[in-house]
Amino acid sequence: MGNCCSEVAGGREAGGGRAAAAGNDAVNHFLKSRGMYGSQMELSFSATNLRDRDVLSKSDPMLIGYTKGKDGTLAEAFRTEVVFNSLNPTWITKHTITFEFEAVQTLVFCAYDIDTQFHNIDVKMLKLEEQQFLGEASCVLSEVVTRPSRSLTLDLLYREDPTMSGNPRHCGQLIVHAEECISSKTLVEMVLRCSDLELKDLFSKSDPFLLISKIVEVGLPIPVCKTEVLKNDHSPAWKPVYLSIQQVGSKESPLMIECFNFNSSGKHDLLGKVKKSLAELEKLHSNGEGENLFLTTTVGHNHQNKVLKSQLFVDKFSQSSQRTFLDYLAGGCELNFMVAVDFTASNGNSRLPDSLHYLDPSGRLNAYQRTIIEVGEVLKFYDSEKRFPAWGFGARPIDGPVSHCFNLNGSNNHCEVDGIQGIMTAYTSALYNVSLAGPTLFGPVISNAALIASQSLANGGKKYFVLLIITDGVVTDLQETIDALVKASDLPLSILIVGVGGADFKEMEIFDADKGERLETSSGRIASRDIVQFIPFRDVQSGEISVFQALLAKLPSQFLSYMRSSNDIQPNI
Amino acid sequence: MDKVHKASRTLEITILSAENLSLNRKSIKKNVYVIARVDPTNFGSTTAGFEGGSNPSWNEKLALDMSFQTRFITLEVKCKTSSGDRVVGTASLPLSDILGDYTPESCLHFLSYRLRDSRGEKNGIINVSARVKVPVESMSPAVTENPVRSGCSSSWKQPALGVPVGHQKSYYGGGVARGVPIWS
C-alpha cells in the first residue's frame, strides 16, 4: 500500500459499521501524522580568501562536491563551473540534494584552481590531477539546515604533505547555503465529491472511499492518499485531502483516482476511476465540471474503458505554501535526544558473554550501545547544547529498592550528560553500580520525559524531545504505559522503542499506531497524535541499517503533527 | 462577591472538530453542534454547522465558570433533525487531563475523546483545546490568548529534572519503589 495506512487496521473489526469507524480513524490519524520529509534542498556555494595560485592573475576556482558513504568512500555528486580570475567566487551552479532526516549525510567539498589551458574544456572532462588543489572542507547536511540563515561557513584546509602529516593550512572559507525547493513546500488541498455512485451492497448504498495513486512508468501505481469511508452514501463528499507537489512529481503528473466500496473483509469493490493530473483537477474545479468515472473491462484479448454515469467533482482546489520541518529548524526549533535503558534481570548478568549488556573487551558494541550510537549520532545535530537526559529503569542501586527511573550518571540532582559519548560512558558506569532487577515498567520514564517536555513548553521553549527506550522484554504496566503515552501526546515529545534480544515483542506493536490502532485510555481519552515508533533490534542484526532509518524517518512528521494539530494543516509562511 | 469570585475558575474550551460521526449508522450531512456542560444549568453551545458532514469543524471558544469541586465536563454532540435534536454521542473530559500532575496551570491542551452513542457504542471522536484560567489578579501579563501552541504560563514552578517530584502521586501501588540510586 505504499504510503497509505494499513488495510489491516480498517478490516480488523467485525461488522461493517465498526470496521468503517476503525478504518476512518486510522485514515484520519495517518493523514494527521503524515508530514513532510525527504525534502529537496538546493545548495549554493561561494568562497572567500582562496589561495592565489596564478602568477599573473588570480585563481580560477571550481568546486567539486562529494557524498561520503558509511564506509568512507566518496562519490562525486556535482561540479561547478569555473569562475575566472577570482579569489572570492560565487558559483552559479546549484546542487539539488534530498534531505534525509534519518541519515547522517556527509558532504565533502574540494576546490581547485583550473589551469588556463583547460578553460575551454567541459568541466566534466577535466582531470583533477592536472589542476591545482586549493583546499577541502566537509560537513553534515543537517549542520546546514539547522542554521537560522541556512548558511554554513567552513574552513578550507590544505595539506602540504599528501600523507596527511603536519597541520593543515587554512586557505579560505567555503560558504554553503541551503534552500528548500518550492515543490517540497507547496501543498494542494482538494475537496472531492462523487455523484450517482453505483450500488454494490445488496440492501443498501455503497460505503465509498477514494484512493489516489501516482502513476509510474513501470509497475503499479503508487498510493499517495486515501479518503475516509462514508457510510451508505451514493453522493459522497469527503473531507479535504492534501497532496504536496513533491509527492506526485509535478502538477502535470498523471494520477489515478479510484473510488471503492469499502468491505470489512479488505476486498473492496471498485466503483470507478478517473485519471487526471492536479492541473486537470484544478481546471475541473475552475469550470465547475465533473468527470465521468470509468471501469476497465476485458473483451476477448482487449481492454476497454466503460464510461459510467457516476461523476467526480472537485468542490475545492487550493494551493498554498506550508511551513515545513526545515522551516521550523531554521526558526530555531531543536530536537533534544533522551534515552532510557532497560536494566532488568532478564538481560542477564552483564559480566557474562551471553548477556545483552555484555561489554566486550574487544570493543565490539552490544545491542544497547549500538542502538544509542545509531540513533544518537543522527539526533545530536539537532540540539545546540548537546546535553541529553539519560535514565535507566528496572535496577536496584546499592542497598536500595528497585528504581524504575534512575539517572544513568548516578546523580541525585540532574539527569543530563554531555553528548553521545556521555551517554555511553554513563551507561557502562551504571552497569557496575546497580543490580539488574525488575519488573519492566515504561510508565515512569515516559512520565519523566513528559515532565521535562511540559516544563519546556511552560517556559516557551522551542524544543521537541525524542525519548529512546531500549528494552529486552515486554512491559508489565501495559495500561499505565498507554495512559502515559496518551497524556504525552499533547506535549512536544516523540518516543522510539527498540526491542533487543529474542523476546516476543508482539505486544509492543500496540504502542505503535503504524501497526495498531490509536491509543485510548480506559476513560476514553484518545491520543492526540501518534508519538511512538517501535522496531525489534533483531531486524537490525541482519545488517540492514535502514531499519534504524525507518525508526527515525517518522520523526519529522510527528514533529509537524504536533505543530499543526491546533488547526490540522495551516498555511503559515 | 469577591468570595464567590475566588472560589471559582474559568474553563476556556475551544470546540475544534469531530470525526466520523454517524446517526443510526448513517453519515451525517449537516446541523451538528456541541454542548459543553458543567452541570445541567451551566453549559455552553456551539452553532450548528452546515458544512463538514460527518466531520464538522467549529473552532468556537466557550467560557464556562466552574467551582473547584468540578471534576469533569460533559461534551454532547447533537444533530438537528426533522424530528428534533438527536444525541450523536457524548464524552467526558476529566479536569485532571488539563490540570494533571505535571502540567502547569493555564497551559493550553489539545485533547481528543471517544464519543459513544446512546447504546454505548463508539461513534467517532471529538477534538478540543482547553485550559483553565486563573483569577485575573493572579494572571501573568505574558499569558497568551492565542490558541495556537505558544507555550504556557510562566508561573509554573520548576520541578527537579529527572527525579519524580515528591508531591507527585505514586505511579503504582503494591509496594513498588521509585527513587534515584546514590553513586558512591
Side-chain angles (χ1 to χ4, degrees), chain A residues 24-25 28 32 231 233 239 397 402-404 406 410 443-444 448 454-455 458 477 490 524-526 528 562 565, chain B residues 19-20 27 29 55 59 97 102 109-112 114 149 151-153 158 161-163 172 176-177 179-181 183:
Chain A
N24 284 344
D25 286 350
N28 288 331
K32 281 185 177 178
K231 292 291 294 175
D233 203 336
K239 293 170 66 176
V402 175
S403 174
H404 298 290
F406 59 91
N448 236 14
S454 176
Q455 179 200 12
D477 61 339
D490 184 38
R525 181 175 171 185
I526 292 177
S528 301
Y562 173 77
S565 61
Chain B
E19 302 169 27
N20 309 320
S27 300
K29 293 298 184 183
N55 305 284
N59 286 304
D97 284 350
Y102 50 76
H109 292 268
F110 292 84
L111 307 167
S112 300
R114 175 71 62 190
R149 296 179 190 272
C152 304
S153 168
Q158 302 297 313
L161 291 179
V163 179
Y172 312 102
V176 177
V180 177
W183 269 215

Side-chain angles (χ1 to χ4, degrees), chain A residues 13 17-18 21 24-25 28-29 32 228-233 235-237 239 391 397-398 401-416 426 429-430 433-434 439 441-444 446-448 450-452 454-455 457-460 477 480-481 484 487-491 517-518 520 523-529 561-568 570, chain B residues 14 16-22 24-29 52-57 59 91-94 96-98 100-105 107-116 121-130 146-165 168 171-173 175-184:
Chain A
E13 290 189 42
R18 292 195 184 89
N24 284 344
D25 286 350
N28 288 331
H29 193 62
K32 281 185 177 178
E228 78 278 18
V229 176
L230 296 179
K231 292 291 294 175
N232 292 314
D233 203 336
S235 298
K239 293 170 66 176
W391 300 292
I398 298 174
V402 175
S403 174
H404 298 290
C405 189
F406 59 91
N407 299 328
L408 275 190
N409 61 16
S411 170
N412 287 332
N413 302 319
H414 64 90
C415 57
E416 292 178 329
S429 177
N433 287 284
V434 300
L441 307 179
F442 285 179
I446 293 172
S447 295
N448 236 14
L451 178 66
I452 293 175
S454 176
Q455 179 200 12
L457 184 63
N459 292 335
D477 61 339
E480 289 83 355
T481 297
K487 292 177 74 175
S489 68
D490 184 38
L491 296 169
E517 296 186 1
R518 286 177 68 177
E520 183 171 343
S523 62
R525 181 175 171 185
I526 292 177
S528 301
R529 60 193 178 94
S561 76
Y562 173 77
M563 294 298 180
R564 296 172 177 167
S565 61
S566 60
N567 278 307
D568 283 343
Q570 181 184 33
Chain B
T14 301
L16 297 172
S17 63
E19 302 169 27
N20 309 320
L21 306 179
S22 64
N24 298 326
R25 301 184 185 276
K26 295 181 179 179
S27 300
I28 297 174
K29 293 298 184 183
S54 293
N55 305 284
S57 294
N59 286 304
S92 290
L93 191 168
S96 58
D97 284 350
I98 303 173
D101 289 340
Y102 50 76
T103 305
E105 284 190 355
C107 181
L108 185 64
H109 292 268
F110 292 84
L111 307 167
S112 300
Y113 293 92
R114 175 71 62 190
L115 292 165
R116 292 190 180 270
E121 293 187 3
K122 293 180 178 180
N123 192 13
I125 294 168
I126 186 166
N127 304 306
V128 304
S129 64
N146 190 332
V148 176
R149 296 179 190 272
S150 56
C152 304
S153 168
S154 59
S155 63
W156 171 245
K157 295 181 180 179
Q158 302 297 313
L161 291 179
V163 179
V165 178
Q168 280 186 334
Y171 291 114
Y172 312 102
V176 177
R178 289 179 293 105
V180 177
I182 300 175
W183 269 215
S184 60

Side-chain angles (χ1 to χ4, degrees), chain A residues 2 14 21 41 68 91 129 162 189 196 222 257 282 409 418 483 499:
Chain A
M41 303 293 297
K68 190 172 187 178
W91 287 282
E129 60 271 21
E189 177 186 356
D196 299 317
I222 301 172
I257 305 174
E282 183 175 27
N409 61 16
D418 287 317
D483 290 354

